[in-house]
Amino acid sequence: MRMTVPTPLGDIAVRCYAPYRGARPEGTSVPPDAPALLLLHANPGDGRDFDAVLPALADRYRTFVVDWPGYGDSTAPEPGRVTPEGLVEVAERVIDALAEEQGVREVAVLGNSVGGYVACRLAEGPRAASVAALVLVDPAGFTRHTAFTRWFCREVMGRPARARRLVVPLARAYLGRLGTPSARETYARVRQLPHDERRLAVHCAVWRGLADPEFGIADPAALDLPILLLWGSRDPVVPALLDGRRAQRMLPADTLSVLLPTAHEPYNERPGLFLRHILPFLKDPRAVGTSRPRSPSRPRRR
């Protein structure tokens, strides 16, 4: 089943999966109180990037897979307007639609890269009550802003003429060994990006948004919900030794943090290993950390 969610940035395609028999042991069923699961992919990419782990997830949870504007089956009438902050609003609209059309009142959010950033923003924003847990996979939002990082985001990856030459080799690096069909299929889709002006424009607009002064999580330490942080030790985009360690310092002290022997998309590179970490967490997120005092959040400047 597929939903289409109208948003200011385009019509957003959301694939919807009801739990089905497959990997579950005979005679067991989906826990009636299991939260739904929302998957948010990286830039570039689309919801198919999660296909290697989707069967195991959809076997246990109501699973909803988003295509960001301009990617997959989603539209982007004005691709240059797609920014990380715009993606937050898109995800909020999706959560509202899930509540209205699917009866979903609470959802765990799994986000990779810019999808991880959006997941954090959902958990600190007006939809926070609807977010039960976060699985952050090499998330954006924890890179220290410097003149170099802002220049790279705006003037290198944010400019189509330059990004067209770099997007494929960068993907080859961040996808790791290409040892799985899923990783190879993701790479094949990225290889088409330089020839697709609309998708390339979306890709560059999101990168430029990473350099915006308003880009950032207001107060990661104040996120008041269970969090699993997964980071690839060989990630060339947001290195574990820099961004990963900074994320560990900034997130709540009881965040469960795991370093994996992968690059930027462990669910593509090592799906079995990825699932061994996230399935126990999703089964009982509150076992990681329950009620903690909420730290005062810094107000977001707008």
Side-chain angles (χ1 to χ4, degrees), residues 254-267:
D254 54 358
T255 295
L256 178 60
S257 181
V258 179
L259 187 66
L260 298 175
T262 66
H264 191 59
E265 297 188 4
Y267 50 85

Side-chain angles (χ1 to χ4, degrees), residues 43 52 60 90 289:
N43 174 53
R60 293 160 173 83
V90 165

Side-chain angles (χ1 to χ4, degrees), residues 65-129:
V65 188
V66 171
D67 288 338
W68 288 132
Y71 291 133
D73 292 324
S74 295
T75 66
E78 299 179 72
R81 292 183 55 227
V82 181
T83 65
E85 301 311 310
L87 297 183
V88 175
E89 183 177 354
V90 165
E92 290 174 347
R93 298 287 183 100
V94 169
I95 285 180
D96 292 344
L98 292 179
E100 182 177 346
E101 300 181 30
Q102 303 286 330
V104 174
R105 298 289 177 252
E106 190 175 67
V107 63
V109 184
L110 187 159
N112 173 224
S113 198
V114 73
Y117 169 76
V118 173
C120 288
R121 288 291 312 283
L122 288 173
E124 71 173 7
R127 305 306 186 279

Side-chain angles (χ1 to χ4, degrees), residues 5 36 70 128 207 254:
V5 181
W207 271 96
D254 54 358

Side-chain angles (χ1 to χ4, degrees), residues 208-232:
R208 290 194 300 272
L210 300 178
D212 192 294
E214 296 299 324
F215 174 77
I217 304 161
D219 189 354
L223 294 174
D224 190 27
L225 76 173
I227 302 173
L228 171 61
L229 176 67
L230 298 170
W231 218 288

Side-chain angles (χ1 to χ4, degrees), residues 7-89:
T7 78
L9 295 181
D11 292 336
I12 304 305
V14 183
R15 287 186 287 160
C16 310
Y17 298 87
Y20 59 88
R21 278 195 186 279
R24 292 198 308 276
E26 187 67 30
T28 63
S29 60
V30 177
D33 58 346
L37 181 61
L38 179 65
L39 305 184
L40 305 176
H41 66 83
N43 174 53
D46 61 47
R48 292 173 291 180
D49 296 353
F50 292 109
D51 279 359
V53 297
L54 185 58
L57 298 175
D59 186 67
R60 293 160 173 83
Y61 306 101
R62 291 173 294 171
T63 305
F64 304 94
V65 188
V66 171
D67 288 338
W68 288 132
Y71 291 133
D73 292 324
S74 295
T75 66
E78 299 179 72
R81 292 183 55 227
V82 181
T83 65
E85 301 311 310
L87 297 183
V88 175
E89 183 177 354

Side-chain angles (χ1 to χ4, degrees), residues 252-291:
D254 54 358
T255 295
L256 178 60
S257 181
V258 179
L259 187 66
L260 298 175
T262 66
H264 191 59
E265 297 188 4
Y267 50 85
N268 251 327
E269 189 177 353
R270 299 282 300 275
L273 178 63
F274 181 78
L275 289 168
R276 285 201 294 275
H277 286 287
I278 72 164
L279 289 179
F281 174 80
L282 290 173
K283 183 177 180 181
D284 189 7
R286 285 289 168 185
V288 174
T290 53
S291 57

